[in-house]
Amino acid sequence: MHYTAPLKDIRFVMDALAGLAEVQALPGFEDAGSETVDAVLEENARLAQEVVAPLNRTGDVQPSTWADGEVTTTPGFKQAFEAYAQGGWQGLQHPPEYGGQGLPKLLAAACNENLHAANLSFALCPLLTDGAIEALLTAGSDEQKSLYVPHLIDGSWTGTMNLTEPQAGSDLSLVRTRAEPQPDGSYRLFGQKIFITYGEHDMAENIVHLVLARTPDAPAGVKGISLFLVPKVVPDAQGGLGPRNDVYCASIEHKLGIKASPTTVLVFGDGKGDVGTGAVGYAVGEINRGLEYMFVMMNAARFAVGVEGVAIAERAYQQAVAYARDRTQSRAVEGSAAAIPIIGHPDVRRMLMTMRALTEGARAVAYVGAGARDIADHHPDAAVRTERQAFFEYLVPVIKGFSTEMSLEVTSLAVQVHGGMGFIEETGVAQHYRDARILPIYEGTTAIQANDLVSRKTVRDGGTVAHSIIAQIRATADELREAGLASVAEGLSAVADAYEAIVSYLLDNARDAVRDVFAGSVPYLMFAGYALGAWQMGRAALAASQRVADGDTDGFLAAKIVTARFYAEHLVPRALALRAQIVEGAESVLALSDDAF
Ligand SMILES: Cc1cc2nc3c(=O)[nH]c(=O)nc-3n(C[C@H](O)[C@H](O)[C@H](O)COP(=O)(O)OP(=O)(O)OC[C@H]3O[C@@H](n4cnc5c(N)ncnc54)[C@H](O)[C@@H]3O)c2cc1C
């Protein structure tokens, strides 16, 4: 099934909601003019549609394979990655001094959405490399930056994130991989990591593993975790490839979805390479501050996984619409001479509108987050930088948690629109459903995102960011009322009232009724996702109606206003229902003893 990059919505969201013009005016983005943005989006759409998307189904039926420690990726992936690397895509958002193009994260988010929509399995490799680049730029030494980052940017090397171990998943304080200091200042690593995405593959000549491990005298828990760089092949000072390191891919997993993405078990220090026993590694930043640095990488990756949710939802929506136009079944409820295309049945429209509204709302929230991040990184005024950074950080768990959860609903609805054919693999829509299932799990499950949203992002600052969002939602509701968009305005006002009540409840009870608060943490995350989506769809309706008033007759704008109304009338009620779960629902969640289950 063909994929078409939704450039019209992407461009609308960038301009009208995510503040592209403000981003373009920031120091450092002089080269990111509108012509460049358009050209990049067009070229990216071409790569996604013509080179990467056709390999999506191939990857599902011919996944990566493992033999003797080597991984062979799906036929065509290597060539597609070459095209990706040669096009300079990996460097899009990274600094020019290391070979990147230094373009806004907002633009990168749009490009990544298209790449993920085209092929989730393929796009994971660049996603992790982006995270590795960010971590090295944040915490790496000058020497590490100049030796590794240019290779990661030009695609000759790729990056991984090595956190998970059999006994350490959500809880990284349990990491046991050992890093032993060597007289020359380097380390030797011993241990096993599991579930490492693209931990081994044949698309690049080297792999840069960023690994969480403990030094021998490290304190217990998260305070004793350090970050190490472990190259698959140890480079010399000029970046020439030297001996094979002692890190070995013991196997790859057989999975429900994203089958082409190799999910590897990596063994460090088994004596299998050319460097003796122990994988040669280098500390990144200071010892025992690894988790802090990894958070930089995780924030980038969590945001990117949220964008994966938007992407797979868009892909599934497109496929469902195409099928609904094509499939003829049943006469119209109001009567018709013959059976009609199913897109004419009210319930099919309900499904398509739900998919469309969820996807557009989540896209808007994600891009607004990316725009905020650009301002946080580049604005000349420190107070603005701090405020935008706090806003971005509040959004990250919501973007990650909500967009990925909603992608399960959207991909499931896409199967439903297809009827029995949805359950049949040849249609390809079942693959989106299976592929999406990992998104709320990796990079921190939805519960872990929700814990972050409650404690670090809401309670720790006394609700400051949440209250400023609520005030902005109220302001948008007022503007909508003035513009005559009554149902959207009423929906937003109700959301703002509920948001206030929920945040007060969290702040009042976080200390003395902590279990109650966390019984409602995922419902709070979902509430925030709907509330932020409703807010952005309200802003979208305002911008669209302004353009219509200015004489723009593009049907896209009228459709945007209808979609915003649908959001307010059909999805906002879901948000409002969550309030009772959060504020009054804890008792029954927690009442049963463990034995009673
Ligand atoms: C395909 C795939 C690719 C992956 N890629 C990578 C990678 O590249 N690098 C990497 O390091 N890891 C990777 N992972 C690992 C992934 O990040 C973990 O699986 C994930 O963080 C969950 O950890 P876990 O599997 O140990 O589950 P657990 O931590 O055992 O969680 C099980 C359940 O308990 C819940 N739970 C746990 N703790 C809490 C809590 N404090 N509060 C509430 N609920 C809780 C979880 O939400 C979940 O529902 C990958 C996994 C998969 C399947």
Side-chain angles (χ1 to χ4, degrees):
M1 163 71 199
H2 190 67
Y3 165 70
T4 307
L7 290 187
K8 206 160 207 177
D9 196 47
I10 284 176
R11 205 57 169 84
F12 174 84
V13 170
M14 289 172 86
D15 286 330
L17 307 180
L20 177 62
E22 194 186 344
V23 169
Q24 286 169 319
L26 293 167
F29 292 144
E30 292 77 13
D31 295 337
S34 287
E35 274 176 28
T36 305
V37 168
D38 283 336
V40 168
L41 286 174
E42 291 287 338
E43 195 48 36
N44 166 261
R46 199 196 56 74
L47 176 82
Q49 291 166 186
E50 294 171 21
V51 180
V52 182
L55 295 171
N56 193 44
R57 175 128 175 88
T58 320
D60 197 45
V61 291
Q62 289 177 264
S64 296
T65 53
W66 177 95
D68 277 341
E70 310 275 325
V71 170
T72 306
T73 50
T74 295
F77 268 39
K78 204 173 162 173
Q79 293 75 7
F81 189 72
E82 231 170 77
Y84 175 83
Q86 279 170 6
W89 294 105
Q90 190 77 62
L92 191 80
Q93 58 180 313
H94 300 300
E97 58 190 298
Y98 297 106
Q101 295 164 51
L103 289 167
K105 304 264 180 230
L106 176 54
L107 182 56
C111 293
N112 288 338
E113 182 192 327
N114 287 323
L115 202 69
H116 292 309
N119 194 327
L120 276 187
S121 282
F122 175 85
L124 267 172
C125 189
L127 182 160
L128 285 154
T129 303
D130 276 337
I133 293 169
E134 290 229 14
L136 286 175
L137 290 177
T138 306
S141 65
D142 288 345
E143 198 187 339
Q144 287 168 343
K145 286 183 211 170
S146 56
L147 181 55
Y148 290 93
V149 176
H151 286 288
L152 291 168
I153 283 181
D154 73 18
S156 52
W157 302 355
T158 65
T160 71
M161 190 156 116
N162 278 248
L163 285 63
T164 309
E165 299 178 9
Q167 78 296 341
S170 298
D171 185 357
L172 294 170
S173 69
L174 301 175
V175 158
R176 282 209 288 254
T177 295
R178 222 166 71 238
E180 293 185 355
Q182 305 298 303
D184 67 354
S186 69
Y187 288 79
R188 290 287 179 140
L189 275 78
F190 301 86
Q192 192 195 79
K193 295 285 178 181
I194 61 167
F195 294 157
I196 305 308
T197 299
Y198 280 96
E200 179 60 47
H201 63 83
D202 58 357
M203 305 196 310
E205 61 188 19
N206 202 3
I207 302 175
V208 180
H209 302 294
L210 286 174
V211 186
L212 287 186
R214 290 178 183 286
T215 52
D217 51 359
V222 289
K223 292 206 167 82
I225 295 177
S226 305
L227 182 62
F228 296 90
L229 185 163
V230 179
K232 170 182 163 183
V233 183
V234 184
D236 60 30
Q238 284 71 44
L241 294 180
R244 179 73 165 81
N245 207 350
D246 187 11
V247 47
Y248 170 79
C249 174
S251 62
I252 61 174
E253 309 294 346
H254 302 280
K255 309 193 293 291
L256 177 68
I258 57 162
K259 295 188 181 204
S261 161
T263 305
T264 62
V265 174
L266 291 185
V267 179
F268 296 80
D270 238 13
K272 284 211 162 71
D274 304 321
V275 294
T277 302
V280 174
Y282 309 98
V284 178
E286 289 172 36
I287 289 300
N288 295 337
R289 291 182 60 191
L291 206 62
E292 196 184 309
Y293 304 141
M294 205 52 143
F295 255 107
V296 172
M297 190 161 168
M298 283 197 283
N299 263 331
R302 285 175 174 183
F303 173 82
V305 173
V307 173
E308 285 187 287
V310 175
I312 194 75
E314 171 68 35
R315 180 109 197 230
Y317 168 72
Q318 287 186 15
Q319 192 157 347
V321 170
Y323 189 79
R325 285 191 208 290
D326 191 51
R327 170 74 171 162
T328 300
Q329 196 72 189
S330 309
R331 288 164 199 253
V333 276
E334 69 278 19
S336 60
I340 58 169
I342 60 169
I343 197 166
H345 295 306
D347 189 63
V348 173
R349 302 181 80 88
R350 176 194 61 80
M351 289 194 277
L352 295 177
M353 284 306 296
T354 304
M355 297 166 78
R356 179 185 177 104
L358 283 170
T359 307
E360 289 187 11
R363 172 180 297 121
V365 175
Y367 286 30
V368 164
R373 169 85 201 272
D374 282 322
I375 296 171
D377 287 350
H378 288 260
H379 203 281
D381 183 338
V384 176
R385 288 202 301 273
T386 307
E387 189 276 328
R388 288 287 86 187
Q389 182 65 24
F391 177 68
F392 172 70
E393 288 185 9
Y394 182 94
L395 291 192
V396 167
V398 184
I399 292 168
K400 198 291 181 180
F402 182 84
S403 305
T404 61
E405 291 285 346
M406 77 84 196
S407 79
L408 301 187
E409 179 177 351
V410 172
T411 52
S412 175
L413 283 172
V415 171
Q416 192 71 13
V417 168
H418 281 71
M421 286 311 290
F423 203 67
I424 306 300
E425 289 290 356
E426 279 78 358
T427 326
V429 74
Q431 184 191 344
H432 304 320
Y433 184 46
R434 288 186 288 99
D435 282 355
R437 194 60 193 86
I438 186 58
L439 304 180
I441 297 174
Y442 64 20
E443 282 310 328
T445 61
T446 307
I448 297 304
Q449 307 304 322
N451 290 351
D452 182 41
L453 182 66
V454 169
S455 43
R456 281 198 210 91
K457 308 295 167 63
T458 305
V459 173
R460 194 157 76 182
D461 75 352
T464 305
V465 174
H467 282 125
S468 116
I469 290 171
I470 295 166
Q472 292 173 74
I473 291 177
R474 289 201 192 285
T476 303
D478 290 343
E479 286 181 60
L480 284 160
R481 221 166 273 120
E482 275 169 36
L485 292 157
S487 74
V488 188
E490 292 326 309
L492 273 193
S493 291
V495 159
D497 291 344
Y499 217 149
E500 211 142 87
I502 291 166
V503 170
S504 295
Y505 167 81
L506 298 176
L507 295 175
D508 291 349
N509 291 284
R511 189 182 293 265
D512 298 331
V514 68
R515 283 180 67 76
D516 289 8
V517 162
F518 282 89
S521 60
V522 168
Y524 169 49
L525 178 144
M526 295 305 288
F527 172 87
Y530 285 121
L532 292 164
W535 175 30
Q536 295 311 322
M537 290 305 284
R539 293 183 64 219
L542 278 173
S545 57
Q546 186 59 54
R547 289 187 192 182
V548 171
D550 292 344
D552 193 335
T553 54
D554 191 338
F556 167 86
L557 298 170
K560 182 60 93 177
I561 296 168
V562 172
T563 309
R565 271 208 290 115
F566 180 90
Y567 205 111
E569 291 161 14
H570 292 259
L571 299 177
V572 163
R574 293 188 186 182
L576 302 181
L578 288 165
R579 172 185 175 165
Q581 276 187 49
I582 301 161
V583 174
E584 293 155 23
E587 203 277 333
S588 60
V589 173
L590 303 172
L592 293 185
S593 68
D594 290 1
D595 294 344
F597 282 94

